[in-house]
Amino acid sequence: MHRIDTEFFTSNTLLELTICGGFYAEGRLPPGRVFFPALKSLSLVSVEFTDTLMYQNFISGCPVLEELFLHYDNETQCPAWKGLVSSPSIKRLNIYDNPSELRYEAYKCCFQIPSLVYLDYSSYVAKQYAVDLVSLEEARLNIRYPERLVDQNEDIFGDVTDLLKGISNVKTLHLSSDSLEVFHLCCDTMPVFHNLLTLSFESDEEIGWQVVPLLLNKSPNLETLVIKSLVHQVTDMCGNACACISKRRKKKKKTTEDDECCLSTCQVKVLNISGYRGTCKELKQMRHFLENLKCLETVNVGVDVKRREYKNGNNKYQRITNAVMELPRFSSNCQIQFF
């Protein structure tokens, strides 16, 4: 460990500062003091402070800070960040936090950043959120549910309802497969994303699409849908965004408005699919999209074929692309491209 005397913890000209693990500010930073009046970018990587208050005093001492990067990956350390970011000037925030079990029990997040435009947030789901992100335009979320809680079948921990309300003004939203699961388990009420134009999410063969129909229904102005891999866990709750509906359920007559396919009401014009391997299930899902997305203009499909398979005499790539091109399309304006 290498200490930094707080007496010299200042600069009037510094624009960018990175402090990595092994360094720490000794003593206490006096509240209300301006330490870096010109600092625009700050990165803290596994940096320890005496307490949470000292951390916030440091951030407050950078009055024109625009970019903040926090990375805490070592659970054995006692990191400075404990869920609070408050600043009137920060525009870009990147957080990767892997809290220890002890710290996670009381894990709460408070984002009071009214000027924030871009958020990249990766951590376990917090017990609760307090959010002021009125200027946010783009969010990238990787919110995970602790495996030990799943394994022990404990009661649901965490609530992302207020977080989703706080980011409901975004124009672009990127979600990991873990985030889909957390939204399904830990959200009481899904807000309406009136400004959302681009929705991107990842799929995982062990995680279902239960929350996808709700997300699509709550995004009335969505124009671009990006899906990284169509392979996901088949459940009875994936809804009609998925083609993996049980035969028994398919045979039931549609008697309510809730039975209407969420895809048919989507305004999506561009569909991007990556990691496509052309399996029967994937082809079935592609058919489901093409038959129900009525406003589609462009479909971009990233075919995942190994070089050896591509050079094979049977030309697997050609067979995969031909099968997609032969699928029926609701929209006569729909053009399919491969990459």
Side-chain angles (χ1 to χ4, degrees):
M1 299 295 292
H2 306 278
R3 65 182 178 85
I4 304 173
D5 267 330
T6 54
E7 180 183 354
F8 304 106
F9 202 58
T10 184
S11 170
N12 291 327
T13 59
L14 197 64
L15 298 178
E16 183 175 345
L17 172 63
T18 298
I19 306 177
C20 296
F23 288 88
Y24 70 100
E26 188 177 54
R28 295 184 178 275
L29 299 174
R33 177 179 171 184
V34 175
F35 306 102
F36 299 98
L39 194 68
K40 297 288 187 179
S41 178
L42 173 64
S43 298
L44 301 178
V45 182
S46 298
V47 177
E48 298 184 24
F49 286 128
T50 305
D51 54 34
T52 307
L53 182 60
M54 183 173 171
Y55 156 80
Q56 187 53 45
N57 289 340
F58 179 28
I59 301 298
S60 300
C62 308
V64 296
L65 188 65
E66 294 184 356
E67 183 175 27
L68 177 61
F69 178 86
L70 303 173
H71 188 106
Y72 292 102
D73 194 21
N74 192 339
E75 290 192 0
T76 62
Q77 293 183 349
C78 180
W81 192 68
K82 294 185 179 178
L84 170 66
V85 178
S86 179
S87 169
S89 61
I90 293 177
K91 296 180 179 179
R92 295 181 64 86
L93 176 62
N94 187 309
I95 296 174
Y96 178 86
D97 188 31
N98 190 21
S100 64
E101 185 171 321
L102 178 63
R103 184 161 65 95
Y104 181 69
E105 294 298 332
Y107 193 50
K108 300 179 181 179
C109 279
C110 180
F111 298 145
Q112 302 296 323
I113 324 169
S115 298
L116 194 70
V117 175
Y118 175 82
L119 172 66
D120 189 338
Y121 174 55
S122 177
S123 185
Y124 290 124
V125 58
K127 188 175 182 180
Q128 66 184 59
Y129 293 86
V131 178
D132 178 9
L133 303 173
V134 293
S135 301
L136 193 65
E137 295 184 3
E138 182 174 358
R140 186 178 297 273
L141 304 180
N142 178 25
I143 305 177
R144 308 179 297 281
Y145 198 80
E147 291 184 8
R148 67 173 183 82
L149 296 184
V150 176
D151 296 338
Q152 297 172 8
N153 293 320
E154 295 189 13
D155 292 337
I156 297 299
F157 179 92
D159 188 347
V160 295
T161 304
D162 288 337
L163 174 63
L164 295 186
K165 288 180 181 177
I167 68 169
S168 59
N169 287 326
V170 293
K171 297 178 181 178
T172 303
L173 180 60
H174 309 274
L175 301 174
S176 67
S177 56
D178 287 318
S179 295
L180 294 181
E181 182 176 46
V182 168
F183 285 10
H184 170 60
L185 296 174
C186 308
C187 181
D188 291 334
T189 306
M190 184 71 68
V192 178
F193 294 87
H194 289 288
N195 300 327
L196 189 62
L197 300 178
T198 300
L199 173 63
S200 170
F201 65 85
E202 301 174 3
S203 296
D204 187 286
E205 60 183 4
E206 297 183 356
I207 297 176
W209 280 8
Q210 296 97 321
V211 79
V212 172
L214 186 57
L215 276 172
L216 295 178
N217 283 329
K218 295 292 185 176
S219 307
N221 298 307
L222 190 65
E223 295 182 355
T224 301
L225 180 61
V226 181
I227 305 176
K228 300 176 182 178
S229 176
L230 295 177
V231 179
H232 62 281
Q233 184 183 62
V234 178
T235 74
D236 290 335
M237 300 178 64
C238 281
N240 44 35
C242 173
C244 309
I245 307 172
S246 66
K247 292 182 179 180
R248 178 179 59 82
R249 187 174 175 184
K250 276 187 174 182
K251 290 179 180 179
K252 291 178 66 176
K253 293 182 179 180
K254 299 180 180 181
T255 57
T256 66
E257 292 183 2
D258 292 337
D259 290 321
E260 184 179 10
C261 180
C262 63
L263 299 178
S264 64
T265 59
C266 271
Q267 303 300 309
V268 170
K269 298 178 181 178
V270 179
L271 175 65
N272 290 338
I273 305 293
S274 59
Y276 185 79
R277 297 189 60 82
T279 64
C280 291
K281 287 184 178 180
E282 289 175 299
L283 186 64
K284 186 178 180 181
Q285 184 63 50
M286 285 297 301
R287 174 189 289 271
H288 189 62
F289 282 139
L290 293 175
E291 287 183 341
N292 288 283
L293 289 171
K294 300 179 179 180
C295 300
L296 268 184
E297 296 178 1
T298 303
V299 177
N300 300 310
V301 182
V303 180
D304 184 10
V305 176
K306 295 180 181 179
R307 185 178 296 274
R308 183 180 61 185
E309 295 173 326
Y310 183 79
K311 292 182 178 181
N312 192 301
N314 294 327
N315 201 336
K316 184 175 181 179
Y317 178 88
Q318 196 65 46
R319 287 188 285 112
I320 290 175
T321 56
N322 287 344
V324 173
M325 293 299 295
E326 291 173 0
L327 293 175
R329 313 168 202 179
F330 184 94
S331 173
S332 58
N333 297 322
C334 180
Q335 300 295 320
I336 300 178
Q337 303 171 353
F338 299 93
F339 63 93

